[in-house]
């Protein structure tokens, strides 16, 4: 499955360039922090609709690879429209369509991996770690290149990475579909998705993800405000994801696929998030911010991995693409909207310290909620939705 690993490397590398350096481009063309935050909030808002749409389309078509290729094509075209838009109004318009194609890419990529390895001895982390490598290595290599050529070169680097990722996706085989797989319907979709356990997990995930999304959106501006350059931004992105490789390998080996154990893991991860945001609030030098990003691999990497595994336990197989889409919609969609608007207002009006202190508060609430879920699960267990019991009438 070499093509699957290399596809992961380049698709994550492409998004790391866009996510890490777009804010600097927008600042250079004259946008304020609040305007940048509002613009970045468009993506998560659009993903609230895009993730369910593409997730349901993947489940319905039973061919995630083709859906991903369509999404990459749209991402490429409209990313260039963003960078070459003549006015702010055109930038906003292009970003709406861009995020419709781009925002569900990671969720559907996760579903693609899970589909290929289902029934085999392969582990999810051994493929996902290639995404972390792509994210880290591309960011650290792009930093000095963009510093030398100017932030306008972000569009070129991003385009090249997307094209290579698309090329590797062409070589992926279609996933086999079992003949007894139930037909995907809207009625079954609703009953599967809106079970109390899954909805509680999603709601708490939004709380924990808001400060992480605020950090992703404004970290580059925070570094430059302290006097750091674009290379320092690249190193911050590098340190935030390079250790994910080890984290995913360790989780593959030692993490138990048991719901109570996974929920307990989310309590620990949420507490580590709180410590991370407290350290960010107290930072005074760019190098401190860079070093603190090492915790991203443990916090977000752990939350992402555990959440993906929990979604598999909550959601029956025919709806896993939709389940991963809803999970991504929570940590990358709704939380991103809140982070862009609320975080942009906090950053501009009160500074980064208060923004990160709010993140500590949100993370502690999330930890408490996951602890309650763990206690309930320990006492009562969990009964998954059974598709054969669900009528369509």
């Amino acid at each position: 499955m070499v093509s699957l690993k290399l596809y992961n490397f380049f698709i994550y590398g492409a998004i790391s360039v866009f996510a890490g350096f777009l804010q600097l481009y927008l600042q250079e063309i004259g946008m304020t922090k609040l305007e940048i935050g509002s613009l970045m909030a468009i993506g998560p808002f659009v993903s609230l609709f895009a993730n369910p749409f593409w997730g349901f389309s993947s489940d319905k078509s039973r061919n995630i690879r083709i859906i991903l290729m369509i999404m990459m094509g749209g991402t490429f075209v409209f990313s260039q429209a963003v960078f070459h838009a003549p006015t702010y109004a055109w930038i906003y318009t292009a970003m709406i369509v861009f995020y419709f194609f781009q925002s569900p890419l990671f969720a559907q990529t996760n579903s693609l991996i899970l589909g290929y390895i289902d029934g085999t001895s392969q582990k999810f982390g051994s493929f996902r770690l290639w995404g972390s490598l792509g994210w880290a290595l591309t960011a650290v290599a792009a930093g000095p290149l963009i510093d030398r050529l100017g932030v306008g070169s972000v569009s070129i680097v991003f385009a090249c990475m997307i094209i290579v990722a698309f090329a590797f996706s062409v070589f992926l085989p279609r996933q086999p579909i079992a003949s007894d797989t139930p037909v995907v319907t809207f009625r079954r979709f609703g009953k599967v998705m809106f079970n109390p356990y899954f909805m509680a997990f999603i709601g708490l995930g939004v709380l924990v993800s808001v400060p992480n999304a605020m950090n992703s959106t404004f970290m580059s501006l925070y570094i430059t405000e302290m006097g750091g350059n674009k290379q320092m931004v690249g190193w911050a992105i590098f340190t935030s994801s390079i250790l994910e490789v080890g984290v995913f390998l360790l989780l593959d080996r030692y993490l138990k696929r048991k719901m109570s154990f996974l929920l307990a893991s989310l309590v620990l991860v949420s507490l580590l998030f709180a410590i991370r945001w407290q350290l960010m609030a107290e930072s005074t030098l760019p190098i401190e911010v860079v070093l603190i990003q090492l915790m991203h691999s443990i916090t977000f990497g752990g939350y992402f991995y555990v959440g993906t595994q929990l979604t598999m336990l909550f959601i029956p197989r025919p709806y896993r693409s939709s389940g991963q889409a809803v999970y991504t919609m929570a940590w990358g969609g709704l939380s991103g909207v809140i982070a862009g608007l609320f975080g942009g207002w906090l950053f501009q009006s009160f500074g980064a310290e208060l923004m990160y202190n709010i993140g500590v508060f949100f993370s502690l609430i999330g930890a408490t909620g996951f602890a309650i879920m763990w206690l309930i699960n320990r006492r009562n267990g969990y009964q998954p939705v059974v598709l054969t019991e669900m009528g369509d009438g």
Side-chain angles (χ1 to χ4, degrees):
M1 296 190 180
V2 175
S3 292
L4 182 57
K5 293 176 179 178
L6 291 174
Y7 160 77
N8 269 271
F9 182 94
F10 284 99
I11 197 65
Y12 275 84
I15 304 304
S16 77
V17 172
F18 193 87
F21 296 96
L22 175 66
Q23 298 91 326
L24 300 178
Y25 169 79
L26 297 174
Q27 187 177 55
E28 187 169 283
I29 63 174
M31 284 191 170
T32 66
K33 293 182 181 68
L34 186 56
E35 287 173 334
I36 292 172
S38 300
L39 184 61
M40 300 306 290
I42 288 177
F45 178 75
V46 172
S47 76
L48 296 177
F49 309 97
N51 269 295
F53 173 82
W54 290 110
F56 189 81
S57 297
S58 295
D59 288 331
K60 193 74 174 175
S61 68
R62 301 186 180 185
N63 195 332
I64 302 177
R65 183 178 68 93
I66 295 299
I67 296 297
L68 277 168
M69 292 171 73
I70 294 171
M71 291 162 62
M72 280 188 283
T75 297
F76 172 81
V77 171
F78 290 99
S79 68
Q80 299 310 299
V82 169
F83 287 105
H84 297 92
T87 65
Y88 284 177
W90 278 104
I91 291 177
Y92 276 87
T93 303
M95 285 287 279
I96 291 172
V97 187
F98 166 81
Y99 277 122
F100 177 75
F101 288 97
Q102 182 273 323
S103 57
L105 274 175
F106 288 166
Q108 296 312 303
T109 294
N110 294 340
S111 296
L112 185 78
I113 297 171
L114 293 168
Y116 278 123
I117 67 175
D118 192 33
T120 72
S121 60
Q122 302 276 4
K123 301 288 187 180
F124 174 77
S126 63
F127 290 90
R128 176 57 181 79
L129 66 83
W130 282 84
S132 297
L133 283 173
W135 187 281
L137 297 178
T138 302
V140 77
L145 178 65
I146 293 169
D147 207 19
R148 177 183 291 269
L149 300 179
V151 291
S153 61
V154 173
S155 63
I156 300 173
V157 178
F158 178 75
C160 291
M161 297 294 289
I162 284 288
I163 290 171
V164 176
F166 185 92
F168 281 113
S169 72
V170 172
F171 295 100
L172 295 174
R174 178 168 179 166
Q175 294 173 331
I177 303 296
S179 59
D180 60 347
T181 300
V183 176
V184 172
T185 66
F186 279 110
R187 180 179 174 83
R188 289 175 173 174
F189 174 85
K191 189 168 183 179
V192 168
M193 295 301 156
F194 294 101
N195 70 75
Y197 261 90
F198 187 59
M199 286 294 100
F201 163 64
I202 291 297
L204 292 169
V206 170
L207 273 178
V208 175
S209 299
V210 165
N212 186 72
M214 288 193 294
N215 182 69
S216 299
T217 302
F218 298 107
M219 181 188 67
S220 59
L221 301 181
Y222 191 32
I223 289 174
T224 55
E225 231 180 42
M226 291 180 177
N229 57 22
K230 296 176 184 66
Q231 291 187 45
M232 192 71 75
V233 173
W235 278 109
I237 299 171
F238 174 82
T239 56
S240 72
S241 53
I242 189 60
L243 294 183
E244 281 185 1
V245 175
V247 169
F248 286 137
L249 289 175
L250 289 172
L251 292 174
D252 266 346
R253 184 165 185 175
Y254 296 110
L255 191 71
K256 298 177 183 178
R257 272 63 173 180
K258 186 178 177 183
M259 188 169 290
S260 61
F261 188 85
L262 294 173
L263 288 170
S265 299
L266 287 184
V267 175
L268 177 60
V269 168
S270 299
L271 292 174
L272 290 173
F273 263 128
I275 295 172
R276 180 183 172 193
W277 306 137
Q278 186 61 48
L279 291 173
M280 286 292 286
E282 296 175 358
S283 298
T284 56
L285 298 171
I287 188 62
E288 293 176 347
V289 175
V290 171
L291 293 175
I292 292 168
Q293 299 316 301
L294 287 169
M295 292 187 69
H296 182 84
S297 299
I298 302 169
T299 51
F300 177 73
Y303 175 76
F304 173 88
Y305 187 100
V306 173
T308 300
Q309 300 300 320
L310 267 173
T311 301
M312 285 185 65
L313 296 180
F314 283 128
I315 304 299
R317 182 178 179 182
Y319 291 83
R320 282 182 183 168
S321 288
S322 299
Q324 296 297 336
V326 172
Y327 169 55
T328 303
M329 181 184 70
W331 64 258
L334 185 57
S335 61
V337 173
I338 299 170
L341 298 176
F342 183 53
W345 174 72
L346 284 174
F347 196 173
Q348 182 160 303
S349 303
F350 304 101
E353 183 178 354
L354 180 61
M355 182 182 77
Y356 283 113
N357 280 326
I358 295 293
V360 175
F361 178 66
F362 281 5
S363 298
L364 291 176
I365 294 177
T368 303
F370 285 127
I372 294 171
M373 283 190 70
W374 174 79
L375 284 172
I376 294 173
N377 180 259
R378 289 275 293 179
R379 291 176 181 176
N380 305 323
Y382 172 72
Q383 295 297 322
V385 175
V386 181
L387 288 176
T388 53
E389 296 177 357
M390 298 162 58
D392 296 323

